[in-house]
Amino acid sequence: MNKYIEKAKKEVQRWSGFSRTLTNPTTYSGVPREAIWKKNKATLWYYEPPVKNYSIPILLVYSIINQPDILDLDPENSLIQAFLDDGYEVYLLDFGIPGYEDRELTLNDYVTKYIEKGVGRVLTHSGADEISVMGFCLGGTLAAMHASVTDQPIKNLILSLTPIDFHVFPNFNRWKKPLTEKNTNFDPIFDSIGLIPSPFIEGGIRLITSPVYFSPYLSLLNRAYDDQYTMKWSRMNDWTKSHISISGAALKQLFNDFVRDNKLINGGLVIDEKDANLSNIKANLLVVGSQFDKLVPPEQIRPVMDLVSSKDKTFHMLKMGHASLSIDGKLPPYLSEWLSLRSHSTE
């Protein structure tokens, strides 16, 4: 009889936790930080390590369609805290949420007006002679664009789950041809809308990754009696819904220059009158792909390995999804080992 009572109690606890998680928001103040530069909606954040072990700071560049909260999700799953614990000075370029007044903001603008300026601010603030840049998803695409035209001293470039070859759409091959034909012109639509609302962005992501979105809720129900798990689940679920608007000009350039013309692969991309050729990249390069990533499959990122001029380049394959940055309070070994060997120790 006792085992049935215990099982009933656990079921009550499970359903109570499930209901509580879906109705009560969780809060997390995050790692202490300081805003050292702002431009328009963007903010450059500085995170000071308890002990500085490396003289080369790292700048994190996140995507323009999601907020960067996943980099500091909770105390046990904070990539930023893990970098700090290893002794790196950490900077985060948060592009913010654009408004309708930013409808003319292009991808080139993100590179020249934000990343270029942000890198300069990091070098000045840290007093460093070189910098490491880590870009995530479309933030990595922008970081690669920047690295291909800049004269700034980028020592290490890390591209995490970053789309480079936009002609590869394994799940939408039948759509690709009609969408990318030369006579297809969506410019009037992008121009008239001006600012693409966040629900449209979320809908597009769902179409590619999870048209039927219920498995996370089954995962929650399965472990809803575990308070630590439900707290992490809630914050992750909030992040997955934190898509932000994108300017019509940025989406227009993304479609024309990348999806249709694939200029990062084929050439022809010009930024501030400079040829944005990936062969211009000479920084030490770490490219991270994911075997089970539906949004940015490995085929979209691996080609960069053959296009850069970097003598030191490494490709690492993960066995997880696009948003998986679970590190249990530490940097993933592949990242920790690679970066530490290419950063100057202060000892």
Side-chain angles (χ1 to χ4, degrees), residues 89-301:
E89 283 190 301
V90 179
Y91 296 80
L92 168 64
L93 182 55
D94 181 354
F95 293 114
I97 303 175
Y100 185 73
E101 64 276 11
D102 303 307
R103 60 191 179 277
E104 299 297 332
L105 191 65
T106 66
L107 299 181
N108 285 6
D109 290 331
Y110 279 110
V111 171
T112 60
K113 297 179 180 179
Y114 295 92
I115 298 180
E116 183 86 8
K117 300 294 184 182
V119 168
R121 292 282 179 159
V122 170
L123 292 170
T124 299
H125 183 268
S126 66
D129 296 325
E130 296 175 298
I131 187 174
S132 296
V133 177
M134 183 173 188
F136 304 84
C137 194
L138 281 175
T141 307
L142 295 174
M145 292 165 62
H146 168 254
S148 72
V149 295
T150 190
D151 293 325
Q152 293 174 314
I154 300 177
K155 172 77 170 179
N156 305 304
L157 178 62
I158 305 170
L159 303 179
S160 179
L161 309 178
T162 294
I164 295 293
D165 188 347
F166 284 81
H167 271 191
V168 180
F169 290 94
N171 297 326
F172 292 90
N173 282 332
R174 294 182 180 179
W175 290 25
K176 182 180 68 174
K177 185 176 180 180
L179 284 176
T180 57
E181 289 179 348
K182 288 294 184 179
N183 59 356
T184 302
N185 184 11
F186 293 106
D187 290 4
I189 299 176
F190 298 143
D191 291 337
S192 62
I193 295 177
L195 186 71
I196 314 304
S198 57
F200 282 58
I201 304 300
E202 182 176 358
I205 299 298
R206 288 280 174 262
L207 182 64
I208 297 174
T209 58
S210 304
V212 181
Y213 187 65
F214 61 83
S215 58
Y217 296 98
L218 294 179
S219 299
L220 171 63
L221 182 60
N222 187 49
R223 296 183 58 182
Y225 53 82
D226 183 340
D227 290 341
Q228 186 174 2
Y229 176 83
T230 59
M231 185 180 301
K232 178 181 176 181
W233 185 96
S234 180
R235 291 184 179 127
M236 174 64 79
N237 190 58
D238 289 344
W239 175 81
T240 61
K241 297 179 179 179
S242 68
H243 295 94
I244 59 179
S245 304
I246 184 173
S247 70
L251 189 58
K252 180 167 67 175
Q253 184 182 6
L254 183 62
F255 178 79
N256 291 333
D257 287 353
F258 296 87
V259 175
R260 189 182 65 190
D261 296 337
N262 206 21
K263 290 185 177 180
L264 274 180
I265 297 295
N266 298 330
L269 181 64
V270 177
I271 301 176
D272 199 19
E273 300 182 351
K274 297 179 181 178
D275 183 17
N277 195 313
L278 293 176
S279 65
N280 295 331
I281 297 177
K282 299 178 181 178
N284 301 327
L285 180 68
L286 173 62
V287 176
V288 183
S290 177
Q291 185 176 348
F292 302 112
D293 190 344
K294 295 181 180 179
L295 187 60
V296 184
E299 296 89 344
Q300 281 193 329
I301 185 173

Side-chain angles (χ1 to χ4, degrees), residues 1-13:
M1 179 64 69
N2 287 338
K3 69 176 183 179
Y4 294 110
I5 293 176
E6 291 299 321
K7 185 175 181 180
K9 286 182 178 179
K10 190 169 185 178
E11 286 303 307
V12 170
Q13 187 180 9

